[in-house]
Structures are given as structure tokens and as C-alpha cells.
Amino acid sequence: MRSGTAFTQGLRQAVDNGPAWTVEAVRQVRYHVVSSDGLFSPDNTALLTGCPDVPMNRGDRRLVVIDENVDLLYGAQVRAYFATHGIDATVVALRADETVKQWDAVSRVVDAMNSFGIDRRREPVIAIGGGVLTDIVGFAASLYRRGTPYIRIPTTLIGLVDAGVGVKTGVNYELGKNRLGTYAPATVTFLDRSFLRTLPLRHVSNGLAEILKMALIRSEDLFNLLESHGAAVRADRLQGTSRELATASNAIIAESIHLMLEELQPNLWESTLERCVDYGHTFSPTLEMHALPELLHGEAVVIDMALTTALATLRGDVAEAQAERVYAVIRALGLPLWNDVLHDTTLLEDALRDTVRHRDGQQRLPLPMGIGRHRFVNDVTPAELRDAARLLSEHAGTQAGAAAAPVRERVSA
């Protein structure tokens, strides 16, 4: 009876060989990234009116999930802010670090959402914390009632420039980094650099690693800025306490976020698996999980970048002088070149095999070309990984450096 129906908007019916339908639909995505320092100052209304898609009015309710460490430092201020503006806030403190970034943490957030009795569309969950916390809350929100809006307020540098501006959520599963997850953009991410005042310098460095990633693959100008001002900006925790530091900090943050969004926006769902923002994320997931809790995420990423810089040097894509500049900036930013897990080069081979599975049967490995450019390769061999690890060990001054002589000769040949 319906064989003559004319379907529209991508729905087609075939009747030649029996009933069959093909459904095509496009989901519109819209999310915001809003910068506002001093977000929880009583006179700052950005959280109330700064995003037109999730306004907050006196008498509204909000479930707030906050990292327990952030709660110790800022919890009283957060609660006072909501009380001042007449928002009925239920605050749940959650431990959030890589060692507990598991399903149990997601379940705790889901339990809190269920107990709160969230109205599905008009009561977004607010996540306040680092990238681990916002990943956990985002994952829980994406599952609860098949999708509940949420707001991110990152309190770490890596949250501001990386985890807070994309659409991925997730938790670890066994030894798989972010093996369980979804694509679920927060309605809005509020960026507040004032949180960085109390951030340990190691965690400032952790975020600078992701900024360095964008510099090495996309922007020599950003690299030059990190080379000239990175150490001072790190010591200042990107607070801009002088005119020069303010100019440098503003440029570093804005450029790294813009470059990241420029790469993500046309490929949010990763339909294209050649992603230059995966630089530093080929070997680091395996290294990070095997070294837990020794390595932070950005530290694992920068070791991956150092290793692939050595690999690109062996291939002739990065000059030795350029590699030395890269290693010098890594050190100046307070980041490691090496971790002892690299002594087991079979781990690198395992990581590459897992990456191939993750990238649909190919390596799709982004490698730097000089500084600020990149290319993708699919032919990295275990022997090359061993040579790159030996070369990097020499630069890092590890005991394995003595084994690097043959590699050094080949580089100079």
C-alpha cells in the first residue's frame, strides 16, 4: 500500500526484491567555548548568561560534579556563587585521576544524576575539574537517558586547551586508554585561567605538552613563542602578571585552541582517521597505562612526540638541529624526554599494533616535517622504533645511550 510513497530527507524504500529501507540523516552540532576569568566571582554573570543555549536563572536547579581536590580549594566559593544567584545546587565531590578513570566512576555520576532527578533537557550537569573529571561526567551524561546536556569548567591547563574543547568522552578499560567512550560535546565549556594559580607546576607542564603538540604539527610561530617564552609563562602559570607575560600567555592559549578547533571542526566524529591532532597519541596511550601512576597524560604524549621526532630525524624529515630545538623546549617546559618503559621496545610494537586496530587497519601515523608541518606514514617498522628509542635515549642521557652509536652514524651518513 505504501509502495508509491515519496519519502524525503534521505529516507528511501526499495521494493524490487522485497521491503528494504535506507535512512540517511544529519545531526546538527553546536557547542560553545567561552573564556571568562574569575568565573565564580560573585559579580561575574558569564555562567548565568554567557551561553545562550543554557541560561541559568534564579530558582533553577543544578547538579554539580566537582573534582575532590578542586572542591578543597574552591568548593566554598562555588557553593557561595550559586547561593548568591539563587541557584539550588547539589554538589558532588568525586575523586578523578587516571588510576580511577574507570566504569565505577561513571556509575557514581549516573547514580548522582538519578538521585537528583534531572529534567532531561533543561538541567545540564556541571562538571568542574581536570580532563579526567570532565571525561567521566561527559561520558555519564551521554549515557543517561541517551543524552543529557552538560557543561564543562576545566580547572587544569590540559582541560582548557585539549580535553575541554573537543567532543570526546571516555574512561579506561583494563589497559586500554579511553577504551570506553562516546562523542558527546558539552553544550558549553567555560575557560577560566584563574584556576591555574593553584595548579602544581607539573600539571602546568602537562597542559603545555598538548600546546607543544599543536606547534610541532601546525605552527612554527607557536613553537617559536614556546621557545622564547614557554619557561617564563610556565613559571607564571599563564596568569599574565606582566605585560610581556600577558601577551605571550594570551597568544599561546588562543592560538593553540584555535588550531585545535580548526582541526576538529570538520572531522568531529573522526570519519577521517588521518588526524594530525593524533600526533603524540600513537604510542602514548600504551606507555601511559603501563607506567601508571608515574606518568601524567601530557608527559606520556610528549615522550611519544620526542620518540617520533627521533624517528623523523632518522628518516631525514627533521634536521638534527631542529630536533635539538624540540628537545630543548621539552626540557624548558618541565617535561620528560624519556621513561624507563621505553627500554622495553616490544611495548612500542604492541602500541603500534593497537594503534593500527584503532585506525582501521593502517598506521596513519603523523610525523613532523621540520617544525610546524607534518605528514602521515604507514610503513614504520619495529627496527625503526628500536633505532628511534636508542637515539632518543642518548638525548635523554639514559643508560641506553651507549647503544645509540650505530644510529648516530646512520643519521650523519
Side-chain angles (χ1 to χ4, degrees):
M1 288 185 294
R2 291 183 177 270
S3 59
T5 301
F7 293 109
T8 59
Q9 297 182 353
L11 180 61
R12 301 190 302 275
Q13 181 181 15
V15 295
D16 294 342
N17 298 306
W21 292 264
T22 299
V23 179
E24 296 180 16
V26 177
R27 179 183 177 185
Q28 183 177 359
V29 178
R30 167 187 167 107
Y31 68 95
H32 308 265
V33 180
V34 177
S35 181
S36 180
D37 292 341
L39 194 64
F40 288 101
S41 298
D43 58 348
N44 189 332
T45 61
L47 195 56
L48 307 176
T49 62
C51 176
D53 293 345
V54 281
M56 193 157 48
N57 302 302
R58 185 170 293 273
D60 286 350
R61 302 188 315 152
R62 288 295 182 269
L63 175 65
V64 180
V65 183
I66 187 170
D67 182 291
E68 62 181 16
N69 292 319
V70 177
D71 192 36
L72 291 173
L73 293 168
Y74 298 100
Q77 184 181 357
V78 168
R79 289 169 177 81
Y81 179 88
F82 287 119
T84 296
H85 293 284
I87 307 301
D88 181 8
T90 297
V91 181
V92 176
L94 186 73
R95 180 184 171 193
D97 59 64
E98 286 291 342
T99 63
V100 296
K101 193 182 182 185
Q102 304 285 346
W103 175 256
D104 286 350
V106 178
S107 183
R108 284 192 60 191
V109 177
V110 170
D111 288 344
M113 295 169 70
N114 203 50
S115 297
F116 185 83
I118 283 179
D119 282 357
R120 185 181 181 190
R121 291 287 183 257
R122 64 184 188 86
E123 291 184 331
V125 182
I126 299 176
I128 306 174
V132 171
L133 186 283
T134 57
D135 272 2
I136 291 169
V137 175
F139 189 22
S142 72
L143 297 177
Y144 191 73
R145 299 187 184 274
R146 297 187 180 90
T148 297
Y150 72 105
I151 294 169
R152 287 183 296 213
I153 303 175
T155 58
T156 62
L157 182 57
I158 201 167
L160 264 70
V161 301
D162 185 72
V165 299
V167 300
K168 290 200 259 186
T169 76
V171 294
N172 306 326
Y173 177 72
E174 293 187 349
L175 286 177
K177 172 76 174 175
N178 289 329
R179 191 58 52 85
L180 304 177
T182 57
Y183 298 100
T187 305
V188 61
T189 297
F190 289 100
L191 308 181
D192 180 357
R193 274 192 282 168
S194 65
F195 284 114
L196 305 184
R197 293 172 187 161
T198 53
L199 193 66
L201 281 177
R202 182 185 179 192
H203 286 268
V204 176
S205 297
N206 191 47
L208 286 168
E210 291 285 1
I211 294 175
L212 179 61
K213 173 190 76 175
M214 298 310 301
L216 292 178
I217 57 170
R218 281 293 312 273
S219 174
E220 187 173 5
D221 289 342
L222 180 58
F223 179 85
N224 292 338
L225 195 55
L226 290 171
E227 189 174 42
S228 60
H229 290 85
V233 162
R234 171 183 178 268
D236 192 51
R237 291 178 169 84
L238 291 97
Q239 295 304 294
T241 56
S242 70
R243 179 174 296 181
E244 182 179 6
L245 287 172
T247 300
S249 297
N250 291 341
I252 287 170
I253 292 286
E255 183 65 7
S256 63
I257 290 176
H258 184 85
L259 289 170
M260 176 68 82
L261 290 175
E262 199 170 68
E263 289 296 326
L264 294 179
Q265 189 270 336
N267 190 32
L268 280 177
W269 316 124
E270 299 186 7
S271 55
T272 299
L273 293 177
E274 286 191 347
R275 305 169 68 246
C276 70
V277 292
D278 281 339
Y279 182 54
H281 292 72
T282 298
F283 306 101
S284 64
T286 299
L287 299 179
E288 181 180 352
M289 296 304 292
H290 277 79
L292 278 178
E294 185 178 350
L295 286 178
L296 299 176
H297 174 70
E299 293 170 341
V301 168
V302 85
I303 289 171
D304 184 318
M305 293 192 293
L307 177 71
T308 48
T309 295
L311 178 61
T313 304
L314 292 173
R315 287 187 163 217
D317 289 337
V318 172
E320 289 190 40
Q322 292 172 320
E324 291 291 349
R325 290 177 66 195
V326 172
Y327 301 143
V329 169
I330 290 173
R331 289 190 176 98
L333 297 179
L335 289 161
L337 284 175
W338 181 269
N339 184 272
D340 284 344
V341 294
L342 288 175
H343 286 302
D344 180 9
T345 54
T346 61
L347 196 63
L348 297 178
E349 297 172 36
D350 291 342
L352 189 57
R353 279 192 292 270
D354 189 62
T355 292
V356 168
R357 289 190 289 268
H358 186 63
R359 297 175 185 166
D360 201 25
Q362 297 187 55
Q363 294 177 0
R364 306 181 201 270
L365 200 162
L367 284 181
M369 296 183 66
I371 294 173
R373 296 181 299 118
H374 64 277
R375 69 184 179 109
F376 295 93
V377 302
N378 289 294
D379 59 350
V380 174
T381 66
E384 283 184 291
L385 291 178
R386 290 191 292 271
D387 287 348
R390 286 197 296 268
L391 180 59
L392 179 61
S393 71
E394 178 181 280
H395 286 285
T398 70
Q399 291 181 351
V407 178
R408 189 165 58 251
E409 291 171 4
R410 182 160 61 255
V411 169
S412 60

